[in-house]
């Protein structure tokens, strides 16, 4: 369907044809067309939660690609199609609004799905679909904020529910009430969010939902709604994208799919999954950042977070499933690649390429021991155990464009195919490499390689302090450049031994000795790993 037109054979006057599958499909096409037409303006409105000018683009891609996926037959259920194609927090929330409609329309009542009811959807069902979508959208957001799409969704659902209970109400009256309430709620968003008022705009995601509801009213009645191009409710923001990024706020946006074994019918889990995986992932990500949205269920979830710890945001999901299609965006880098907004009614160039990975290189540290893994995460790496290495690397490389560098940390751990591996055969070499800083480009990997080569290391398998200290001292050069640092990594329960050996090594020597990380099992690991650089 071209130019956002409603199919003439599908829409007649009033509600003669009923709001059934054909007209709902027309609505989906119309929403996709309207979002694409409004994309530059919606991007320009995007100042919350960060001014990264991508809400319009994310929503347009989510809807158009989700619709194409559903119609292609790969995922005929729109719930899964939208989940797989969701972009950004706005796309994830949109997938839940659609999921609400699907939950209501596809759940049989007295053996008949409301979607298949003769005469089309009745007012009660339309109101229920709006209410269910609103419920799921709010549950998906870890910390709901008013003055956003959630406010507009709630206003539309409440108004539709009120009208639907009136005697003799029609589907058109329910939809019209939802549209009117949504417009009013959209106008209120600047008074609810100071950042919107300061920029002189309404909320971008909320404006997109109004456009979608207006498209529904147009499909129901056949009467043209105000076009996106003419709508005065889409002003432009002041300043370039990223100009007001909070220097103290999270630096990265992290998104990924999580594939697991969860199943359920939606009870007790805001993600729509009875297994609790969505709730748990939402809780874990909330401890790492903000703007947390987790949606999905039935073994597949979509996660979104703004954080300063992108590696930890991916790693925290590993006990719950396998992350895939990972997208990591540095806000400042992304804003620099995206041109500023044009005035409403003007032209705007296509946005520059999104920076899907904040650097050219993602470092995976393969180590055992919780404290060692934490030290690697603090240094900016993604930490995993040897058993998790293949899945972690696969998730990072699939569709992420990342150049993955693996630090195996054990000579018996082979690097997965297709990635670069540095010859690190001990955790002290891994820590020495990460002390140089995570590379910002492939050309910087040489710094890590040099640090690994310069680190002498040894296993300490004795609990005799003097013997252990002598072994560690053997790593120090007898002549030539002196070692600047000795690092000891203790096995689980061996911190006291490490401290005693450290004290013994310091005696009579001008050398720094640090006890870092630890927690690996011994055996098979040594009581201590020792390294000198």
């Amino acid at each position: 369907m071209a130019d956002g037109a409603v199919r003439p054979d599908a829409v007649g006057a009033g509600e003669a044809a009923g709001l059934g599958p054909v007209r709902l499909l027309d609505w989906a096409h119309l929403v996709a067309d309207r979002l694409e037409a409004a994309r530059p303006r919606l991007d320009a409105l995007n100042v919350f939660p960060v001014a990264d000018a991508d809400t319009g683009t994310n929503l347009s891609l989510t809807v158009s690609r989700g619709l194409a996926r559903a119609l292609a037959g790969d995922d005929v259920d729109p719930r899964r199609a939208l989940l797989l194609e969701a972009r950004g927090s706005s796309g994830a929330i949109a997938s839940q609004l659609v999921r609400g409609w699907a939950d209501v329309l596809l759940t049989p009542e007295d053996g008949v799905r409301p979607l298949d009811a003769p005469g089309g959807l009745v007012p009660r069902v339309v109101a229920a679909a709006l209410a269910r979508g609103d419920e799921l959208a709010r549950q998906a957001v870890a910390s709901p904020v008013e003055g956003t799409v959630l406010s507009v969704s709630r206003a539309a659902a409440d108004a539709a529910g009120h009208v639907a209970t009136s005697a003799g109400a029609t589907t058109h009256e329910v939809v019209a009430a939802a549209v009117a309430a949504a417009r009013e709620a959209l106008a209120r968003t600047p008074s609810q969010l100071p950042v919107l008022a300061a920029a002189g705009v309404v909320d971008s995601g909320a404006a997109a939902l109004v456009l979608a509801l207006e498209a529904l009213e147009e499909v129901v009645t056949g009467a043209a709604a105000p076009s996106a191009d003419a709508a005065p409710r889409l002003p432009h923001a002041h300043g370039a994208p990223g100009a007001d990024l909070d220097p103290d706020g999270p630096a990265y946006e992290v998104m990924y799919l999580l594939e697991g074994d969860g199943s359920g019918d939606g009870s007790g889990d805001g993600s729509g999954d009875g297994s609790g995986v969505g709730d748990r992932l939402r809780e874990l990500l909330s401890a790492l950042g903000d703007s947390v949205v987790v949606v999905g269920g039935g073994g597949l979830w979509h996660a979104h977070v703004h954080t300063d710890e992108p590696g930890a945001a991916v790693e925290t999901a590993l006990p719950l499933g396998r992350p895939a299609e990972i997208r990591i965006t540095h806000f400042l880098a992304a804003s620099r690649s995206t041109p500023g907004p044009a005035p409403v009614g003007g032209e705007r160039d296509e946005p520059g390429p999104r920076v899907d990975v904040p650097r050219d290189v993602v470092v995976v540290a393969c180590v055992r021991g919780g404290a060692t893994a934490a030290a690697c995460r603090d240094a900016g790496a993604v930490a995993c155990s040897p058993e998790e290495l293949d899945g972690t690397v696969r998730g990072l490389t699939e569709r992420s464009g990342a150049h993955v560098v693996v630090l195996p940390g054990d000579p018996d751990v082979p690097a997965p195919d297709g990635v670069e591996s540095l010859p690190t055969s001990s955790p002290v070499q891994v820590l020495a490499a990460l002390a140089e800083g995570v590379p910002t480009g492939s050309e910087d990997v040489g710094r890590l390689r040099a640090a690994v080569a310069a680190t002498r290391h040894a296993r300490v398998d004795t609990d005799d302090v003097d013997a252990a200290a002598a072994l560690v001292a053997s790593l120090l050069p007898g002549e030539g450049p002196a070692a600047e640092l000795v690092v000891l990594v203790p096995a689980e329960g061996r911190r006291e031994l490490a401290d005693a050996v450290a004290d013994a090594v310091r005696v009579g020597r001008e050398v720094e000795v640090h006890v870092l990380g630890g927690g690996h099992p011994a055996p098979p690991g040594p009581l201590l790993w020792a390294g000198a650089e």
Side-chain angles (χ1 to χ4, degrees):
M1 184 171 60
D3 302 324
V6 179
R7 290 177 16 164
D9 61 333
V11 177
E15 297 183 76
L19 186 58
V22 172
R23 298 177 84 184
L24 286 170
L25 182 57
D26 281 335
W27 178 34
H29 281 294
L30 188 56
V31 170
D33 291 342
R34 292 289 166 83
L35 287 176
E36 176 56 26
R39 178 184 56 77
R41 291 180 178 80
L42 294 172
D43 281 344
L45 292 176
N46 181 200
V47 297
F48 179 84
V50 291
D52 52 349
D54 66 354
T55 293
T57 297
N58 284 340
L59 285 170
S60 179
L61 290 174
T62 297
V63 173
S64 62
R65 293 183 178 180
L67 179 59
R69 178 183 285 269
L71 294 178
D74 294 332
D75 294 281
V76 293
D77 190 325
R79 291 169 288 197
R80 182 175 176 85
L82 268 290
L83 178 66
L84 288 168
E85 297 295 347
R87 298 293 189 96
S89 59
S90 55
I93 291 172
S95 75
Q96 294 304 92
L97 296 173
V98 172
R99 183 173 191 142
W101 277 81
D103 283 356
V104 171
L105 270 56
L106 300 178
T107 301
E109 296 181 352
D110 298 326
V112 178
R113 300 187 309 176
L115 180 64
D116 303 322
L121 305 183
V122 298
R124 174 185 56 80
V125 169
V126 173
L130 289 169
R132 176 61 175 164
D134 176 67
E135 176 189 17
L136 291 176
R138 284 186 172 267
Q139 289 176 351
V141 179
S143 300
V145 175
E146 298 304 327
T148 64
V149 62
L150 298 178
S151 301
V152 170
S153 174
R154 177 58 52 86
D158 287 349
H162 177 73
V163 172
T165 60
S166 303
T170 65
T171 299
H172 175 214
E173 289 171 340
V174 169
V175 173
V179 170
R183 288 172 176 161
E184 293 174 2
L186 176 63
R188 289 193 298 268
T189 57
S191 67
Q192 296 172 296
L193 270 181
V195 66
L196 299 179
V201 298
V202 293
D203 181 71
S204 181
L209 178 56
V210 170
L211 292 178
L213 292 173
E214 289 177 340
L216 176 60
E217 185 176 21
E218 182 175 349
V219 168
V220 169
T221 66
S227 71
D229 292 338
R233 67 180 65 85
L234 296 180
H236 67 280
H238 307 308
D244 66 341
L245 290 178
D246 184 356
D248 298 322
Y252 300 99
E253 179 184 53
V254 178
M255 294 176 283
Y256 53 83
L257 293 174
L258 181 68
E259 300 172 352
D261 297 327
S263 60
D265 60 5
S267 59
D269 190 330
S271 68
D273 168 56
S275 69
V277 171
D279 285 340
R280 179 58 178 157
L281 182 57
R282 196 176 299 109
E283 177 185 0
L284 292 170
L285 292 178
S286 294
L288 297 173
D290 57 31
S291 297
V292 174
V293 180
V294 177
V295 300
L300 182 67
W301 296 265
H302 178 104
H304 173 278
V305 62
H306 294 172
T307 180
D308 286 321
E309 304 177 75
V314 176
E315 182 187 349
T316 196
L318 293 175
L320 303 175
R322 185 177 73 86
E325 299 192 29
I326 300 167
R327 297 168 59 86
I328 303 175
T329 303
H330 190 285
F331 286 124
L332 185 57
S335 70
R336 287 173 176 167
S337 71
T338 307
V344 175
E347 296 298 323
R348 168 176 165 155
D349 294 333
E350 288 296 318
R354 294 283 295 176
V355 184
D356 288 335
V357 181
R359 47 188 180 263
D360 293 336
V361 177
V362 175
V363 177
V364 177
C366 182
V367 294
R368 294 191 186 276
T372 303
C376 293
R377 287 195 300 269
D378 290 343
V382 174
C384 67
S385 69
E387 294 78 15
E388 298 165 335
L389 180 58
D390 285 340
T392 300
V393 170
R394 188 165 56 249
L396 285 168
T397 54
E398 286 180 355
R399 300 191 186 181
S400 71
H403 175 72
V404 176
V405 175
V406 175
L407 304 176
D410 189 314
D412 297 325
V413 175
D417 294 336
V419 299
E420 184 174 2
S421 178
L422 301 189
T424 49
S425 55
S426 69
V428 290
Q429 288 178 297
V430 172
L431 293 172
L434 292 176
E436 295 296 314
V438 173
T440 57
S442 57
E443 67 278 4
D444 291 336
V445 176
R447 292 188 292 104
L448 275 65
R449 194 182 301 277
V452 170
T455 302
R456 296 172 292 280
H457 62 98
R459 292 172 57 108
V460 178
D461 291 305
T462 176
D463 57 3
D464 182 287
V465 173
D466 291 336
L471 177 56
V472 174
S474 70
L475 299 175
L476 304 176
E479 57 184 42
E484 298 179 354
L485 179 68
V486 170
V487 174
L488 302 177
V489 177
E492 183 178 8
R494 293 293 182 167
R495 177 62 190 241
E496 185 175 345
L497 173 63
D499 290 338
V501 172
D503 290 340
V505 172
R506 293 188 188 102
V507 175
R509 299 181 179 90
E510 294 184 2
V511 62
E512 290 186 45
V513 184
H514 295 280
V515 179
L516 299 176
H520 59 269
L527 300 180
L528 302 175
W529 279 106
E533 55 176 308

